Amino acid sequence: MLEASTILKERDFKVEEPYGRQLEELIADCNQYLPTFDEAMIRHAFKLSYWAHRNDRRASGEWYIAHPIAVARIVVREIRLDDVSVGAALLHDVVEDTDLSLEIIRAEFGEEMALLIDGLTKIRGIYANRALGQAENVRKLILSMAQDVRVIFVKFGDRLHNMQTLGSLPPAKQLKIATETLMLFAPLAHRFGLQRIKSELENLSLKVLEPEAYSSIVLGLRESKQERDSYINQFIVPLRERLQQYGFEFDIKGRSKNIYSIFHKMQAQNKPLEAIYDVFAIRIILKTRGQKGKEDCWRVYSIITDLYKPLPERFRDFISVPKSNGYQSLHTTVLDADGRRIEVQIRTEEMDEIAERGMAAHWKYKEGVNKADTKMDQLLNWVHDLMENPDSEQATEFVQEFSLDLYTDEIYVFTPRGDLKTLPKNATPVDFAFQIHTDIGFHCIGAKVNGKMVPLSYKLRSGDQVEIITSKKVTANPDWIKFVVTHKARSRIRHRINEERRAAVRYGRQLWEKKAKRAKLSVSEEELVRLAAQFKYSTLAQMFYEIASGLLDVQDLIQYMRTGDAPESVDIDAPTESGITFRETAQYKGAETLLINGERIKGLATVYASCCNPIPGDAVFGYTSKAGSINIHRTGCRNAAHLLVNYPDRIQSCAWSRQKDVRFVVGLRVVGEDRVGIVHDLTTVISRNLKTNIRSMSVRTEDGFFEGTIILHVSDLQHLKRLIGRIRRVESVRGVYRFEE
Ligand code: MN
């Protein structure tokens, strides 16, 4: 075992600058902020940490010792606990990162310090490999501080300094740490009443997570600072005079708002920055103490409301009824002569200290837990309850209380590897997929949440672990637009739909031009626009789109141009689901594959009816429209009987000639028992074995069953039958049906 004391004493051991100076600054801080402290112990802890980390550097390249020193200074200045917590801050990383063992800590500093360092080392273990946020991990975190609540206070210092120096880490790591901070540490700091630390953690997280919003708020505040300051000063003058007349001793100041809370308000209320920071806020801090202090707060309140009109609904009395974290203050909002709102907080110095540093301000560790402040007692009791009933729902409730309630607009979910993603409320697996990568978004065909298949429209909840199943053969489904909530997913999907639409419009125009040319028609652009209007299309693009989709027959247009005959009024090819009616370009080559009355007919317009989507191999018949084009229906089509009975003279017998590499759209419905991996297996069977393109796929699960809708491209009926056979053989599949609507 290393004899640390001996090493430090016997070798020529010297703390190099600037760290020697920083040790003296730390001692000075202890003198200022701690009522009593063991200076020799702090110096010893400092030197031991310096020695232990002597070969370590941080990601930024600076010597590692800078980190424990910074943490110790945060603990002294911001939390102001006691000397042991400062020593623990100095030594918090040595057991994990250096060859100094816990035994040495125990031998050098005693049992109390050893327990603290042990707790801090264990906390690191919790974070090391796992994603936070699940109740289980939060519970472990709580348990780790149950032994000694100072563990979590030192951890706040550690996290704050890590956030302050986050810039040296790779971006992905920055995002993870910032999210974790926003989700767990900031609310926890709030729970402990550490307002200043909470605000700084939030702001630093925002800087990483929403860099643009962050800098625009900072800039906006800076630009408007002078104006806001002068307004506040103007407002304060008469108030100050009046309070002085009454003989109060007080501080009065404009209150700067936390950048994160401004951001949060902008989001929640959907307002611009100006509308948020335009709400002015001041704080009056009275120097009187105890009961007299409370009474003075009420007197000041009545003086202010004599001067300015209060908004009664905005009044809050946290003095008679403190918040659960010990916060006490009077809040009111008053109107100035111009009707502008000013938020006013009134409190004593003691209350202000609790407001800024919370529980830690009450913490008198040396007096023992039993004699400590009742608020702290309550917190500790609650922690002990958690420890004794680890299976209780309290841990879960705790997570909900501090993370869900505080950030109701956001949810936090995990990738299968445990990386955290922040999404807006109501986000779906598709939003999640686009958040990870645009490609994953476009190619997602299914999702598993906490190991179970869910529909792509499933609303994710905080703590969900989300796995996206992708297939290169699939592309975005236009229907997704109905349920995605993130801007990214929405804009990408819309963009893709527009692209497809533009391609269809181009194709429709080509089709028109080809056929018009063949019919020896020369039609100017103006005539075309007029033609579109006569066919009740608001735009030319709309008309071409419908031509491409098979909803409008070019022959009808040509007929109209020649004779002025109105198109047929009976529209049997009514549009159906948007995802199904639009056919791929390749399909139109299918005209060549059809034999009508036994002949391969070229140049005759054929339209594959979108009511039944016939494919080669299907039993089909042709129906000649008034314009002369032939609509191809399956004999089993729901419109077939009507046409066959009422228009026998327009029916043509049709058959298929074999032609490869032409693809037709077909829809399949697959049902079966839900199980892990089912979507993956289905897509593998479809895409790998038979080289079939999946156009879209969606899966719904309910009560252990799934129902999948697959739209795919096949070359002919034989191909489709083989495919159905393969899908039937996939484990847990109970039925495969071709669907026609
Ligand atoms: Mn650390």
Side-chain angles (χ1 to χ4, degrees):
M1 187 159 88
L2 282 164
E3 296 283 338
S5 300
T6 323
I7 292 163
L8 294 187
K9 275 172 204 152
E10 286 181 0
R11 293 197 189 167
D12 187 15
F13 183 78
K14 191 173 173 298
V15 176
E16 304 283 338
E17 292 308 331
Y19 305 111
R21 200 183 66 238
Q22 288 182 11
L23 170 57
E24 299 314 317
E25 284 167 0
L26 178 65
I27 299 294
D29 281 348
C30 290
N31 265 315
Q32 185 177 347
Y33 296 110
L34 302 179
T36 61
F37 73 103
D38 181 347
E39 186 177 327
M41 183 275 284
I42 303 261
R43 284 182 184 279
H44 187 41
F46 188 102
K47 286 183 179 168
L48 196 59
S49 177
Y50 182 86
W51 177 78
H53 288 298
R54 66 196 176 283
N55 296 319
D56 305 335
R57 287 183 187 270
R58 303 197 83 209
S60 62
E62 70 177 333
W63 287 109
Y64 197 88
I65 187 65
H67 169 63
I69 296 173
V71 175
R73 294 195 74 180
I74 292 169
V75 169
V76 180
R77 301 172 74 103
E78 296 295 332
I79 307 178
R80 303 178 202 178
L81 281 173
D82 62 356
D83 50 2
V84 182
S85 60
V86 177
L90 288 167
L91 294 164
H92 78 273
D93 280 332
V94 297
V95 171
E96 182 83 9
D97 291 343
T98 78
D99 44 13
L100 267 194
S101 67
L102 197 60
E103 281 66 47
I104 297 175
I105 303 285
R106 188 174 288 117
E108 296 289 324
F109 300 94
E111 190 60 31
E112 188 184 358
M113 181 70 87
L115 279 176
L116 265 179
I117 301 299
D118 191 34
L120 283 159
T121 310
K122 281 180 183 149
I123 282 197
R124 273 188 52 165
I126 299 174
Y127 293 103
N129 298 313
R130 280 173 218 233
L132 275 172
Q134 287 120 327
E136 174 63 5
N137 288 330
V138 173
R139 194 174 66 80
K140 282 183 183 151
L141 183 74
I142 311 283
L143 296 191
S144 68
M145 71 189 179
Q147 301 212 322
D148 192 324
V149 78
R150 287 175 296 184
V151 169
I152 196 70
F153 284 127
V154 175
K155 191 68 201 168
F156 283 137
D158 184 34
R159 177 55 59 130
L160 181 55
H161 186 245
N162 284 336
M163 287 299 294
Q164 286 166 343
T165 55
L166 205 56
S168 331
L169 295 179
K173 225 169 173 187
Q174 290 187 26
L175 287 177
K176 178 177 188 289
I177 293 175
T179 313
E180 200 179 76
T181 300
L182 195 56
M183 175 185 149
L184 187 63
F185 285 93
L188 199 54
H190 176 76
R191 191 71 172 78
F192 279 87
L194 294 164
Q195 215 46 42
R196 290 242 301 259
I197 288 184
K198 176 215 170 210
S199 290
E200 196 174 347
L201 288 174
E202 284 177 341
N203 293 345
L204 291 167
S205 301
L206 186 67
K207 195 175 171 183
V208 173
L209 298 172
E210 301 279 351
E212 280 167 31
Y214 177 87
S215 50
S216 80
I217 293 172
V218 170
L219 194 73
L221 288 177
R222 197 183 296 151
E223 279 172 350
S224 61
K225 188 176 189 311
Q226 217 178 352
E227 197 185 327
R228 285 181 296 124
D229 283 354
S230 77
Y231 172 77
I232 285 289
N233 288 336
Q234 217 177 306
F235 177 82
I236 283 175
V237 170
L239 198 56
R240 188 189 297 278
E241 277 172 12
R242 188 68 71 96
L243 293 179
Q244 277 162 351
Q245 281 168 20
Y246 280 91
F248 287 109
E249 259 192 86
F250 61 93
D251 258 350
I252 184 166
K253 55 191 176 192
R255 188 158 57 86
S256 60
K257 289 208 167 171
N258 174 6
I259 296 165
Y260 179 79
S261 71
I262 291 175
F263 171 76
H264 203 256
K265 277 193 184 138
M266 286 167 67
Q267 297 259 302
Q269 301 172 11
N270 199 16
K271 282 181 181 165
L273 177 60
E274 300 75 38
I276 305 292
Y277 69 52
D278 221 28
V279 181
F280 293 95
I282 63 162
R283 181 176 296 157
I284 300 164
I285 298 163
L286 298 166
K287 310 249 177 193
T288 40
R289 305 178 71 83
Q291 188 57 34
K292 177 82 167 59
K294 277 190 193 178
E295 288 163 19
D296 282 354
C297 288
W298 285 104
R299 288 173 62 209
V300 168
Y301 171 76
S302 90
I303 290 166
I304 291 171
T305 51
D306 278 350
L307 277 172
Y308 300 101
K309 182 180 175 336
L311 294 168
E313 73 276 12
R314 305 272 296 174
F315 174 73
R316 296 285 181 278
D317 170 15
F318 294 116
I319 289 182
S320 315
V321 187
K323 289 190 189 178
S324 63
N325 60 17
Y327 179 89
Q328 287 187 295
S329 190
L330 289 182
H331 291 188
T332 183
T333 299
V334 298
L335 295 175
D336 74 356
D338 303 327
R340 223 186 313 207
R341 289 177 172 210
I342 300 97
E343 292 174 13
V344 184
Q345 296 181 345
I346 308 158
R347 56 174 78 146
T348 65
E349 265 183 335
E350 282 169 298
M351 295 174 192
D352 192 51
E353 203 182 338
I354 294 165
E356 304 259 287
R357 300 192 300 108
M359 300 290 181
H362 283 289
W363 184 253
K364 308 274 193 300
Y365 190 78
K366 294 295 182 201
E367 295 170 19
V369 172
N370 294 336
K371 278 186 270 169
D373 182 81
T374 47
K375 276 287 157 198
M376 187 52 104
D377 252 3
Q378 279 174 17
L379 185 68
L380 284 178
N381 282 338
W382 167 75
V383 167
H384 281 291
D385 280 353
L386 265 188
M387 205 154 82
E388 278 161 23
N389 305 301
D391 301 324
S392 76
E393 286 175 1
Q394 286 192 49
T396 319
E397 279 169 16
F398 181 75
V399 181
Q400 282 164 354
E401 182 184 343
F402 80 61
S403 60
L404 302 187
D405 285 358
L406 275 170
Y407 305 113
T408 45
D409 303 338
E410 289 171 348
I411 58 164
Y412 304 91
V413 296
F414 302 91
T415 68
R417 280 185 313 200
D419 292 333
L420 265 166
K421 295 282 164 197
T422 314
L423 288 167
K425 201 177 164 188
N426 294 332
T428 64
V430 177
D431 292 295
F432 177 85
F434 275 99
Q435 183 93 338
I436 291 174
H437 198 278
T438 304
D439 266 352
I440 296 181
F442 278 131
H443 296 300
C444 78
I445 49 167
K448 283 198 272 186
V449 167
N450 304 324
K452 232 179 150 283
M453 284 297 308
V454 296
L456 286 174
S457 58
Y458 175 87
K459 284 185 172 41
L460 297 171
R461 282 182 301 207
S462 270
D464 280 348
Q465 189 164 46
V466 190
E467 186 182 342
I468 297 296
I469 299 149
T470 59
S471 164
K472 282 273 166 267
K473 314 270 177 177
V474 178
T475 180
N477 183 334
D479 289 345
W480 293 350
I481 208 88
K482 290 178 196 153
F483 56 71
V484 295
V485 297
T486 52
H487 172 72
K488 189 172 180 183
R490 190 169 286 278
S491 64
R492 297 291 197 288
I493 295 166
R494 191 161 280 152
H495 183 73
R496 180 60 60 93
I497 294 172
N498 290 341
E499 263 180 8
E500 287 190 9
R501 193 183 156 81
R502 273 194 295 274
V505 168
R506 266 199 306 279
Y507 179 70
R509 185 184 271 274
Q510 284 168 15
L511 218 57
W512 155 257
E513 282 168 356
K514 213 163 83 190
K515 289 183 180 173
K517 198 176 160 197
R518 212 174 281 152
K520 303 205 173 5
L521 272 180
S522 142
V523 182
S524 73
E525 199 70 9
E526 286 105 67
E527 282 173 300
L528 256 183
V529 172
R530 224 173 301 134
L531 183 65
Q534 264 139 6
F535 275 69
K536 310 253 183 303
Y537 293 109
S538 50
T539 63
L540 256 185
Q542 180 71 25
M543 183 175 82
F544 288 136
Y545 179 77
E546 298 226 333
I547 290 173
S549 311
L551 297 172
L552 172 66
D553 192 333
V554 176
Q555 294 302 334
D556 284 347
L557 293 178
I558 292 171
Q559 182 78 7
Y560 182 81
M561 290 301 291
R562 284 194 174 134
T563 66
D565 265 6
E568 217 175 295
S569 59
V570 184
D571 183 13
I572 51 163
D573 293 338
T576 61
E577 282 178 52
S578 57
I580 301 166
T581 50
F582 175 62
R583 296 122 171 238
E584 298 284 291
T585 305
Q587 188 184 340
Y588 293 89
K589 291 186 199 142
E592 254 91 64
T593 73
L594 190 66
L595 305 175
I596 296 172
N597 297 328
E599 286 176 43
R600 182 175 299 226
I601 297 172
K602 286 201 173 184
L604 181 61
T606 52
V607 174
Y608 296 100
S610 54
C611 46
C612 56
N613 285 307
I615 62 172
D618 278 332
V620 288
F621 66 92
Y623 166 79
T624 314
S625 71
K626 218 188 246 173
S629 69
I630 298 178
N631 297 347
I632 310 300
H633 292 266
R634 287 163 62 189
T635 49
C637 172
R638 61 189 148 88
N639 293 315
H642 166 76
L643 297 173
L644 292 166
V645 170
N646 294 309
Y647 305 98
D649 51 339
R650 293 194 183 184
I651 302 302
Q652 315 287 337
S653 75
C654 294
W656 301 93
S657 70
R658 290 190 63 82
Q659 183 172 330
K660 286 288 172 189
D661 76 336
V662 175
R663 299 278 155 167
F664 290 80
V665 179
V666 71
L668 290 180
R669 183 154 291 144
V670 183
V671 294
E673 288 140 29
D674 188 22
R675 66 168 169 87
V676 174
I678 178 70
V679 170
H680 175 257
D681 291 358
L682 285 176
T683 50
T684 307
V685 160
I686 295 168
S687 56
R688 203 167 297 159
N689 295 349
L690 287 160
K691 296 198 172 19
T692 310
N693 287 326
I694 299 175
R695 181 183 167 84
S696 72
M697 177 163 178
S698 64
V699 173
R700 261 198 307 268
T701 58
E702 214 180 326
D703 299 326
F705 281 87
F706 76 90
E707 183 182 320
T709 304
I710 310 170
I711 311 293
L712 32 77
H713 298 279
V714 295
S715 51
D716 56 25
L717 190 62
Q718 201 191 350
H719 180 188
L720 179 64
K721 281 183 173 160
R722 277 209 320 272
L723 198 61
I724 290 175
R726 294 277 172 92
I727 296 173
R728 283 224 170 90
R729 286 200 293 276
V730 171
E731 188 195 331
S732 88
V733 167
R734 292 289 167 264
V736 186
Y737 312 99
R738 184 169 168 194
F739 70 91
E740 300 181 359
E741 73 272 351

